[in-house]
Short mmCIF file of all heavy atoms in Angstrom, two decimals:
data_model
loop_
_atom_site.label_atom_id
_atom_site.label_comp_id
_atom_site.label_asym_id
_atom_site.label_seq_id
_atom_site.Cartn_x
_atom_site.Cartn_y
_atom_site.Cartn_z
N MET A 180 87.95 109.64 105.49
CA MET A 180 88.87 109.02 104.56
C MET A 180 90.17 109.81 104.58
O MET A 180 90.18 111.02 104.50
CB MET A 180 88.27 109.02 103.15
CG MET A 180 89.20 108.47 102.11
SD MET A 180 88.52 108.58 100.46
CE MET A 180 87.87 106.94 100.31
N SER A 181 91.29 109.11 104.70
CA SER A 181 92.58 109.79 104.70
C SER A 181 93.27 109.59 103.35
O SER A 181 93.07 108.60 102.67
CB SER A 181 93.46 109.25 105.82
OG SER A 181 93.74 107.88 105.59
N ALA A 182 94.09 110.56 103.01
CA ALA A 182 94.82 110.50 101.76
C ALA A 182 96.31 110.61 102.05
O ALA A 182 96.72 111.25 103.01
CB ALA A 182 94.40 111.63 100.84
N SER A 183 97.10 109.97 101.24
CA SER A 183 98.55 110.04 101.39
C SER A 183 99.09 111.23 100.61
O SER A 183 98.60 111.55 99.53
CB SER A 183 99.21 108.77 100.88
OG SER A 183 98.78 107.68 101.63
N VAL A 184 100.09 111.84 101.16
CA VAL A 184 100.77 112.94 100.48
C VAL A 184 102.20 112.52 100.26
O VAL A 184 102.92 112.16 101.20
CB VAL A 184 100.73 114.23 101.33
CG1 VAL A 184 101.50 115.33 100.65
CG2 VAL A 184 99.30 114.64 101.60
N THR A 185 102.61 112.49 99.02
CA THR A 185 103.99 112.14 98.69
C THR A 185 104.65 113.33 98.02
O THR A 185 103.99 114.14 97.36
CB THR A 185 104.06 110.92 97.77
OG1 THR A 185 103.35 111.22 96.57
CG2 THR A 185 103.45 109.70 98.42
N TYR A 186 105.96 113.44 98.22
CA TYR A 186 106.70 114.50 97.56
C TYR A 186 108.15 114.08 97.46
O TYR A 186 108.60 113.18 98.15
CB TYR A 186 106.58 115.82 98.31
CG TYR A 186 107.31 115.83 99.63
CD1 TYR A 186 108.57 116.40 99.73
CD2 TYR A 186 106.75 115.27 100.77
CE1 TYR A 186 109.25 116.41 100.94
CE2 TYR A 186 107.41 115.28 101.96
CZ TYR A 186 108.66 115.85 102.04
OH TYR A 186 109.34 115.85 103.23
N ARG A 187 108.87 114.75 96.61
CA ARG A 187 110.30 114.52 96.45
C ARG A 187 111.02 115.81 96.81
O ARG A 187 110.50 116.90 96.59
CB ARG A 187 110.65 114.14 95.02
CG ARG A 187 110.13 112.77 94.68
CD ARG A 187 110.61 112.36 93.32
NE ARG A 187 110.54 110.92 93.29
CZ ARG A 187 111.41 110.16 92.69
NH1 ARG A 187 112.43 110.69 92.06
NH2 ARG A 187 111.28 108.86 92.71
N ALA A 188 112.21 115.65 97.36
CA ALA A 188 113.00 116.81 97.73
C ALA A 188 114.44 116.60 97.32
O ALA A 188 114.93 115.48 97.29
CB ALA A 188 112.92 117.03 99.23
N ILE A 189 115.10 117.67 96.99
CA ILE A 189 116.52 117.62 96.70
C ILE A 189 117.23 118.28 97.87
O ILE A 189 116.98 119.45 98.19
CB ILE A 189 116.86 118.34 95.38
CG1 ILE A 189 116.17 117.63 94.21
CG2 ILE A 189 118.36 118.42 95.18
CD1 ILE A 189 116.35 118.33 92.89
N LEU A 190 118.09 117.52 98.52
CA LEU A 190 118.82 118.05 99.66
C LEU A 190 120.12 118.70 99.19
O LEU A 190 120.81 118.16 98.34
CB LEU A 190 119.15 116.94 100.65
CG LEU A 190 117.96 116.25 101.30
CD1 LEU A 190 118.43 115.10 102.18
CD2 LEU A 190 117.16 117.24 102.12
N THR A 191 120.44 119.83 99.79
CA THR A 191 121.68 120.52 99.46
C THR A 191 122.76 120.11 100.47
O THR A 191 123.41 120.95 101.08
CB THR A 191 121.49 122.04 99.46
OG1 THR A 191 120.96 122.42 100.74
CG2 THR A 191 120.53 122.46 98.37
N ILE A 192 122.89 118.81 100.66
CA ILE A 192 123.83 118.25 101.62
C ILE A 192 124.73 117.27 100.88
O ILE A 192 124.27 116.53 100.00
CB ILE A 192 123.07 117.51 102.75
CG1 ILE A 192 122.21 118.50 103.52
CG2 ILE A 192 124.02 116.80 103.68
CD1 ILE A 192 121.33 117.85 104.55
N ASP A 193 126.00 117.27 101.25
CA ASP A 193 126.93 116.32 100.65
C ASP A 193 126.53 114.89 101.00
O ASP A 193 126.06 114.61 102.10
CB ASP A 193 128.36 116.55 101.16
CG ASP A 193 128.93 117.87 100.69
OD1 ASP A 193 128.48 118.36 99.64
OD2 ASP A 193 129.82 118.39 101.38
N ARG A 194 126.76 114.00 100.06
CA ARG A 194 126.47 112.58 100.30
C ARG A 194 127.31 112.04 101.46
O ARG A 194 126.86 111.19 102.21
CB ARG A 194 126.73 111.77 99.02
CG ARG A 194 126.36 110.31 99.15
CD ARG A 194 126.38 109.61 97.81
NE ARG A 194 125.19 109.85 97.04
CZ ARG A 194 124.08 109.12 97.12
NH1 ARG A 194 124.02 108.13 97.96
NH2 ARG A 194 123.04 109.38 96.39
N GLU A 195 128.51 112.58 101.63
CA GLU A 195 129.37 112.15 102.74
C GLU A 195 128.73 112.43 104.08
O GLU A 195 128.87 111.66 105.03
CB GLU A 195 130.74 112.84 102.66
CG GLU A 195 131.60 112.39 101.50
CD GLU A 195 131.22 113.08 100.20
OE1 GLU A 195 130.60 114.16 100.24
OE2 GLU A 195 131.53 112.53 99.13
N THR A 196 127.99 113.54 104.17
CA THR A 196 127.29 113.88 105.41
C THR A 196 126.20 112.86 105.70
O THR A 196 126.04 112.42 106.85
CB THR A 196 126.68 115.29 105.31
OG1 THR A 196 127.72 116.23 105.02
CG2 THR A 196 126.00 115.68 106.61
N VAL A 197 125.47 112.48 104.67
CA VAL A 197 124.42 111.48 104.86
C VAL A 197 125.03 110.15 105.29
O VAL A 197 124.52 109.49 106.20
CB VAL A 197 123.58 111.31 103.57
CG1 VAL A 197 122.51 110.25 103.77
CG2 VAL A 197 122.95 112.62 103.15
N TRP A 198 126.14 109.76 104.66
CA TRP A 198 126.80 108.51 105.04
C TRP A 198 127.32 108.58 106.47
O TRP A 198 127.26 107.59 107.21
CB TRP A 198 127.93 108.16 104.08
CG TRP A 198 127.42 107.55 102.81
CD1 TRP A 198 127.46 108.09 101.56
CD2 TRP A 198 126.78 106.28 102.66
NE1 TRP A 198 126.88 107.24 100.65
CE2 TRP A 198 126.46 106.12 101.31
CE3 TRP A 198 126.44 105.26 103.55
CZ2 TRP A 198 125.82 104.98 100.81
CZ3 TRP A 198 125.81 104.14 103.06
CH2 TRP A 198 125.50 104.00 101.72
N TYR A 199 127.83 109.74 106.89
CA TYR A 199 128.33 109.91 108.25
C TYR A 199 127.20 109.72 109.26
O TYR A 199 127.33 108.96 110.23
CB TYR A 199 128.98 111.28 108.41
CG TYR A 199 129.45 111.56 109.81
CD1 TYR A 199 130.59 110.94 110.31
CD2 TYR A 199 128.76 112.43 110.63
CE1 TYR A 199 131.02 111.19 111.60
CE2 TYR A 199 129.18 112.68 111.92
CZ TYR A 199 130.32 112.06 112.40
OH TYR A 199 130.74 112.30 113.68
N VAL A 200 126.08 110.38 109.04
CA VAL A 200 124.92 110.25 109.94
C VAL A 200 124.41 108.82 109.91
O VAL A 200 124.03 108.25 110.94
CB VAL A 200 123.82 111.26 109.57
CG1 VAL A 200 122.56 111.04 110.39
CG2 VAL A 200 124.32 112.68 109.75
N SER A 201 124.42 108.21 108.72
CA SER A 201 123.99 106.82 108.59
C SER A 201 124.85 105.88 109.43
O SER A 201 124.34 104.98 110.11
CB SER A 201 124.04 106.42 107.12
OG SER A 201 123.74 105.07 106.96
N ARG A 202 126.16 106.10 109.40
CA ARG A 202 127.06 105.27 110.21
C ARG A 202 126.82 105.49 111.70
O ARG A 202 126.87 104.54 112.50
CB ARG A 202 128.51 105.56 109.86
CG ARG A 202 128.93 104.96 108.52
CD ARG A 202 130.43 105.02 108.30
NE ARG A 202 130.96 106.38 108.35
CZ ARG A 202 131.05 107.20 107.31
NH1 ARG A 202 130.64 106.80 106.11
NH2 ARG A 202 131.56 108.40 107.44
N LEU A 203 126.53 106.73 112.10
CA LEU A 203 126.21 106.99 113.51
C LEU A 203 124.94 106.26 113.93
O LEU A 203 124.89 105.67 115.02
CB LEU A 203 126.03 108.50 113.74
CG LEU A 203 127.27 109.36 113.67
CD1 LEU A 203 126.88 110.84 113.79
CD2 LEU A 203 128.26 108.98 114.76
N LEU A 204 123.93 106.28 113.07
CA LEU A 204 122.69 105.59 113.38
C LEU A 204 122.90 104.07 113.45
O LEU A 204 122.36 103.41 114.35
CB LEU A 204 121.62 105.92 112.33
CG LEU A 204 121.06 107.34 112.39
CD1 LEU A 204 120.29 107.64 111.12
CD2 LEU A 204 120.19 107.51 113.61
N ALA A 205 123.69 103.54 112.53
CA ALA A 205 123.97 102.10 112.54
C ALA A 205 124.73 101.71 113.81
O ALA A 205 124.44 100.67 114.42
CB ALA A 205 124.75 101.71 111.29
N ALA A 206 125.69 102.54 114.21
CA ALA A 206 126.45 102.26 115.43
C ALA A 206 125.54 102.31 116.66
O ALA A 206 125.67 101.49 117.57
CB ALA A 206 127.59 103.27 115.58
N ASP A 207 124.61 103.25 116.67
CA ASP A 207 123.67 103.34 117.79
C ASP A 207 122.77 102.11 117.83
O ASP A 207 122.49 101.59 118.91
CB ASP A 207 122.82 104.61 117.67
CG ASP A 207 121.92 104.79 118.87
OD1 ASP A 207 122.44 104.95 120.00
OD2 ASP A 207 120.68 104.75 118.69
N ARG A 208 122.35 101.63 116.68
CA ARG A 208 121.53 100.41 116.64
C ARG A 208 122.31 99.22 117.17
O ARG A 208 121.76 98.39 117.91
CB ARG A 208 121.06 100.12 115.21
CG ARG A 208 120.00 101.09 114.71
CD ARG A 208 119.55 100.69 113.33
NE ARG A 208 118.62 101.66 112.79
CZ ARG A 208 117.99 101.51 111.64
NH1 ARG A 208 118.19 100.44 110.91
NH2 ARG A 208 117.15 102.43 111.20
N ARG A 209 123.59 99.12 116.81
CA ARG A 209 124.42 98.03 117.33
C ARG A 209 124.60 98.15 118.84
O ARG A 209 124.53 97.16 119.57
CB ARG A 209 125.78 98.01 116.64
CG ARG A 209 125.76 97.42 115.26
CD ARG A 209 127.15 97.18 114.70
NE ARG A 209 127.96 98.39 114.68
CZ ARG A 209 127.96 99.28 113.69
NH1 ARG A 209 127.20 99.09 112.63
NH2 ARG A 209 128.73 100.35 113.73
N HIS A 210 124.82 99.39 119.31
CA HIS A 210 125.00 99.63 120.74
C HIS A 210 123.74 99.23 121.52
O HIS A 210 123.84 98.65 122.61
CB HIS A 210 125.34 101.10 120.99
CG HIS A 210 125.46 101.46 122.43
ND1 HIS A 210 126.53 101.07 123.20
CD2 HIS A 210 124.64 102.14 123.23
CE1 HIS A 210 126.36 101.51 124.43
NE2 HIS A 210 125.22 102.18 124.47
N ARG A 211 122.59 99.54 120.98
CA ARG A 211 121.32 99.20 121.63
C ARG A 211 120.90 97.76 121.39
O ARG A 211 119.88 97.30 121.90
CB ARG A 211 120.21 100.13 121.13
CG ARG A 211 120.39 101.57 121.51
CD ARG A 211 119.30 102.41 120.86
NE ARG A 211 119.51 103.82 121.10
CZ ARG A 211 118.92 104.49 122.08
NH1 ARG A 211 118.10 103.87 122.89
NH2 ARG A 211 119.17 105.77 122.24
N ARG A 212 121.67 97.06 120.54
CA ARG A 212 121.39 95.67 120.17
C ARG A 212 120.00 95.51 119.53
O ARG A 212 119.26 94.58 119.83
CB ARG A 212 121.53 94.76 121.38
CG ARG A 212 122.93 94.76 121.91
CD ARG A 212 123.10 93.84 123.05
NE ARG A 212 124.49 93.89 123.50
CZ ARG A 212 124.99 93.13 124.41
NH1 ARG A 212 124.23 92.24 125.01
NH2 ARG A 212 126.24 93.25 124.75
N THR A 213 119.70 96.44 118.65
CA THR A 213 118.46 96.37 117.90
C THR A 213 118.55 95.21 116.91
O THR A 213 119.52 95.10 116.16
CB THR A 213 118.20 97.68 117.13
OG1 THR A 213 118.18 98.75 118.07
CG2 THR A 213 116.89 97.64 116.38
N ARG A 214 117.56 94.35 116.91
CA ARG A 214 117.58 93.21 116.00
C ARG A 214 117.43 93.68 114.56
O ARG A 214 116.78 94.67 114.28
CB ARG A 214 116.45 92.24 116.34
CG ARG A 214 116.70 91.52 117.65
CD ARG A 214 115.54 90.65 118.02
NE ARG A 214 114.44 91.54 118.38
CZ ARG A 214 113.16 91.25 118.25
NH1 ARG A 214 112.78 90.11 117.75
NH2 ARG A 214 112.23 92.12 118.61
N ARG A 215 118.06 92.93 113.65
CA ARG A 215 117.97 93.28 112.23
C ARG A 215 116.54 93.10 111.74
O ARG A 215 115.80 92.27 112.23
CB ARG A 215 118.91 92.40 111.42
CG ARG A 215 120.35 92.72 111.66
CD ARG A 215 121.23 91.86 110.78
NE ARG A 215 122.61 92.18 111.04
CZ ARG A 215 123.40 92.80 110.17
NH1 ARG A 215 122.92 93.13 109.00
NH2 ARG A 215 124.64 93.07 110.48
N ALA A 216 116.20 93.88 110.74
CA ALA A 216 114.88 93.82 110.09
C ALA A 216 113.74 94.18 111.02
O ALA A 216 112.61 93.79 110.79
CB ALA A 216 114.66 92.45 109.45
N THR A 217 114.04 94.93 112.09
CA THR A 217 112.95 95.38 112.97
C THR A 217 112.60 96.84 112.71
O THR A 217 111.63 97.33 113.24
CB THR A 217 113.33 95.21 114.45
OG1 THR A 217 114.51 95.96 114.73
CG2 THR A 217 113.53 93.76 114.81
N ARG A 218 113.40 97.51 111.91
CA ARG A 218 113.16 98.91 111.57
C ARG A 218 112.61 99.00 110.17
O ARG A 218 113.00 98.25 109.28
CB ARG A 218 114.46 99.72 111.65
CG ARG A 218 115.11 99.73 113.00
CD ARG A 218 114.36 100.61 113.94
NE ARG A 218 115.04 100.65 115.23
CZ ARG A 218 114.91 101.62 116.07
NH1 ARG A 218 114.14 102.64 115.80
NH2 ARG A 218 115.53 101.59 117.22
N LEU A 219 111.73 99.94 109.97
CA LEU A 219 111.15 100.13 108.65
C LEU A 219 112.16 100.71 107.67
O LEU A 219 112.22 100.32 106.51
CB LEU A 219 109.92 101.04 108.74
CG LEU A 219 109.14 101.27 107.47
CD1 LEU A 219 108.56 99.96 106.96
CD2 LEU A 219 108.04 102.28 107.71
N LEU A 220 112.99 101.64 108.15
CA LEU A 220 113.97 102.30 107.29
C LEU A 220 115.37 101.79 107.56
O LEU A 220 115.72 101.46 108.69
CB LEU A 220 113.95 103.81 107.54
CG LEU A 220 112.65 104.55 107.23
CD1 LEU A 220 112.77 106.01 107.61
CD2 LEU A 220 112.28 104.41 105.77
N THR A 221 116.18 101.78 106.52
CA THR A 221 117.60 101.48 106.69
C THR A 221 118.25 102.69 107.35
O THR A 221 117.68 103.79 107.34
CB THR A 221 118.27 101.22 105.33
OG1 THR A 221 118.22 102.43 104.56
CG2 THR A 221 117.59 100.08 104.58
N PRO A 222 119.45 102.52 107.92
CA PRO A 222 120.12 103.69 108.50
C PRO A 222 120.32 104.82 107.49
O PRO A 222 120.19 106.00 107.84
CB PRO A 222 121.46 103.14 108.98
CG PRO A 222 121.19 101.70 109.27
CD PRO A 222 120.19 101.29 108.22
N PHE A 223 120.60 104.49 106.22
CA PHE A 223 120.78 105.53 105.21
C PHE A 223 119.50 106.30 104.97
O PHE A 223 119.49 107.53 104.98
CB PHE A 223 121.28 104.91 103.89
CG PHE A 223 121.59 105.95 102.84
CD1 PHE A 223 122.82 106.57 102.82
CD2 PHE A 223 120.64 106.29 101.89
CE1 PHE A 223 123.11 107.53 101.86
CE2 PHE A 223 120.93 107.25 100.93
CZ PHE A 223 122.17 107.87 100.92
N ARG A 224 118.40 105.59 104.81
CA ARG A 224 117.12 106.27 104.57
C ARG A 224 116.67 107.06 105.80
O ARG A 224 116.07 108.12 105.68
CB ARG A 224 116.05 105.28 104.14
CG ARG A 224 116.29 104.73 102.75
CD ARG A 224 115.15 103.83 102.33
NE ARG A 224 115.41 103.25 101.04
CZ ARG A 224 114.89 103.72 99.90
NH1 ARG A 224 114.10 104.75 99.92
NH2 ARG A 224 115.17 103.12 98.77
N GLN A 225 116.97 106.54 106.97
CA GLN A 225 116.64 107.27 108.19
C GLN A 225 117.48 108.54 108.29
O GLN A 225 116.97 109.59 108.69
CB GLN A 225 116.87 106.39 109.41
CG GLN A 225 116.37 107.01 110.69
CD GLN A 225 116.53 106.09 111.89
OE1 GLN A 225 117.11 105.01 111.78
NE2 GLN A 225 116.03 106.52 113.01
N ALA A 226 118.74 108.47 107.90
CA ALA A 226 119.61 109.65 107.90
C ALA A 226 119.07 110.71 106.94
O ALA A 226 119.05 111.90 107.27
CB ALA A 226 121.03 109.26 107.52
N VAL A 227 118.63 110.29 105.77
CA VAL A 227 118.05 111.23 104.81
C VAL A 227 116.82 111.90 105.40
O VAL A 227 116.65 113.12 105.31
CB VAL A 227 117.70 110.53 103.48
CG1 VAL A 227 116.86 111.43 102.58
CG2 VAL A 227 118.96 110.07 102.76
N MET A 228 115.97 111.12 106.06
CA MET A 228 114.76 111.67 106.66
C MET A 228 115.11 112.69 107.75
O MET A 228 114.53 113.78 107.81
CB MET A 228 113.90 110.56 107.25
CG MET A 228 112.61 111.05 107.85
SD MET A 228 111.63 109.75 108.60
CE MET A 228 112.62 109.41 110.06
N VAL A 229 116.07 112.35 108.60
CA VAL A 229 116.47 113.26 109.68
C VAL A 229 117.06 114.54 109.12
O VAL A 229 116.70 115.64 109.56
CB VAL A 229 117.48 112.56 110.62
CG1 VAL A 229 118.14 113.54 111.55
CG2 VAL A 229 116.79 111.46 111.39
N LEU A 230 117.95 114.42 108.15
CA LEU A 230 118.57 115.60 107.56
C LEU A 230 117.56 116.45 106.81
O LEU A 230 117.63 117.68 106.82
CB LEU A 230 119.74 115.21 106.66
CG LEU A 230 120.93 114.62 107.44
CD1 LEU A 230 121.92 114.01 106.47
CD2 LEU A 230 121.59 115.67 108.30
N ARG A 231 116.61 115.81 106.17
CA ARG A 231 115.56 116.55 105.46
C ARG A 231 114.72 117.35 106.45
O ARG A 231 114.29 118.45 106.17
CB ARG A 231 114.69 115.57 104.67
CG ARG A 231 113.71 116.26 103.76
CD ARG A 231 113.05 115.30 102.82
NE ARG A 231 112.33 114.27 103.54
CZ ARG A 231 111.85 113.17 102.99
NH1 ARG A 231 112.06 112.95 101.71
NH2 ARG A 231 111.20 112.30 103.69
N TRP A 232 114.52 116.80 107.64
CA TRP A 232 113.74 117.49 108.68
C TRP A 232 114.46 118.75 109.14
O TRP A 232 113.86 119.79 109.35
CB TRP A 232 113.52 116.55 109.85
CG TRP A 232 112.86 117.19 111.02
CD1 TRP A 232 113.46 117.73 112.11
CD2 TRP A 232 111.46 117.39 111.20
NE1 TRP A 232 112.53 118.24 112.97
CE2 TRP A 232 111.29 118.05 112.43
CE3 TRP A 232 110.34 117.07 110.44
CZ2 TRP A 232 110.03 118.39 112.93
CZ3 TRP A 232 109.09 117.42 110.93
CH2 TRP A 232 108.95 118.08 112.15
N PHE A 233 115.80 118.67 109.31
CA PHE A 233 116.55 119.79 109.86
C PHE A 233 116.98 120.83 108.84
O PHE A 233 117.39 121.92 109.21
CB PHE A 233 117.79 119.28 110.60
CG PHE A 233 117.43 118.68 111.94
CD1 PHE A 233 117.58 117.33 112.16
CD2 PHE A 233 116.96 119.48 112.96
CE1 PHE A 233 117.24 116.78 113.38
CE2 PHE A 233 116.62 118.94 114.19
CZ PHE A 233 116.76 117.59 114.40
N VAL A 234 116.95 120.50 107.56
CA VAL A 234 117.42 121.46 106.53
C VAL A 234 116.26 122.26 106.01
O VAL A 234 115.19 121.88 105.85
CB VAL A 234 118.14 120.72 105.39
CG1 VAL A 234 118.46 121.67 104.25
CG2 VAL A 234 119.40 120.10 105.94
#
């Protein structure tokens, strides 16, 4: 039996940084012609996840 682990984190990163990374991810999706609604996370949430990994 598997269990889910959830947690919350506070990032010490400016919101502008998250928006910048989000725009980069969105531009990359457009460049790759990724269809809409095929990703589980929005570019903003994906940016938060990536930044949380590196901080």
